[in-house]
Amino acid sequence: MAGLSLVLVVNAGSETLKLSIVGEDGASEPLASLAALDPERVVAVGHRIVHGGPHLREPVVIDAAVEAEIRAVEAIAPLHNAPALAALEHARNVLPDAPHVAVFDTAFHATLPDEAVVYPLPLSWREEWGIRRYGFHGTSVAWAAEQAS
C-alpha cells in the first residue's frame, strides 16, 4: 500500500476477526494476520467495539478506565465484547506504542430520545439493571446514512 503511515482496523465479531489496513489516501485492504503487518508503518489502531454501555458514546483512546468500562458491559454483549477485548490485548502486544482507539456500534444511537430507548418495564428494573434500548450496527448505519446523503 502506497504511503508511509497506516491505520490498522480491528473488527472482532462473535465468530470472526477482520483486519484491515487503511492508507494515508483512505484506501483500505484486508490483512490476513497481524504477522503480515509492518509495525513500523502503523500510526494508530482502530477497534470496533459492539457495546459501549451508557457512558462510552464517542470514539476514544483506550486506556485502563475505558477498558474497564468495556469489561463492565461485557455481559450485555458477551459474544462481541469478549472477542473485542481479546483482540485489543493481542493488538496491544504487537503494537504497544500505537494509540488504540475504540469506536462503538452503540454510539450512533446514543442520542435517541427517551421514548425510543425506554422499555415498558417497571422503573425499578430499568434503574437497577440499566435496561434500555441501545441500538446496534451503528457504524454500518452511520456509513449508510452518509452514503445516502
Side-chain angles (χ1 to χ4, degrees), residues 98-117:
H100 290 254
V101 177
V103 176
F104 302 96
D105 265 357
T106 50
F108 181 82
H109 306 288
T111 59
L112 289 172
D114 283 348
E115 58 270 14
V117 300

Side-chain angles (χ1 to χ4, degrees), residues 10-86:
V10 179
N11 182 350
S14 58
E15 296 182 16
T16 62
L17 176 63
K18 295 177 187 171
L19 304 171
S20 299
I21 51 173
V22 180
E24 293 174 21
D25 61 356
S28 66
E29 294 178 6
L31 188 67
S33 72
L34 291 179
L37 185 66
D38 178 359
E40 298 298 318
R41 294 180 61 195
V42 177
V43 296
V45 182
H47 295 267
R48 173 192 163 256
I49 309 286
V50 165
H51 212 301
H55 303 112
L56 298 173
R57 297 178 164 202
E58 300 288 332
V60 62
V61 174
I62 304 170
D63 60 12
V66 170
E67 188 173 346
E69 285 278 337
I70 296 168
R71 284 194 194 289
V73 296
E74 188 176 338
I76 300 173
L79 297 178
H80 291 86
N81 276 22
L85 288 165

Side-chain angles (χ1 to χ4, degrees), residues 105-141:
D105 265 357
T106 50
F108 181 82
H109 306 288
T111 59
L112 289 172
D114 283 348
E115 58 270 14
V117 300
V118 174
Y119 285 108
L121 299 169
L123 178 62
S124 61
W125 292 7
R126 294 193 314 259
E127 289 175 347
E128 182 177 348
W129 296 312
I131 298 172
R132 58 160 286 172
R133 178 174 288 125
Y134 281 94
F136 294 100
H137 305 285
T139 52
S140 293
V141 173

Side-chain angles (χ1 to χ4, degrees), residues 86-108:
L88 169 64
E89 181 180 350
H90 189 68
R92 276 185 173 155
N93 288 336
V94 173
L95 300 160
D97 297 325
H100 290 254
V101 177
V103 176
F104 302 96
D105 265 357
T106 50
F108 181 82

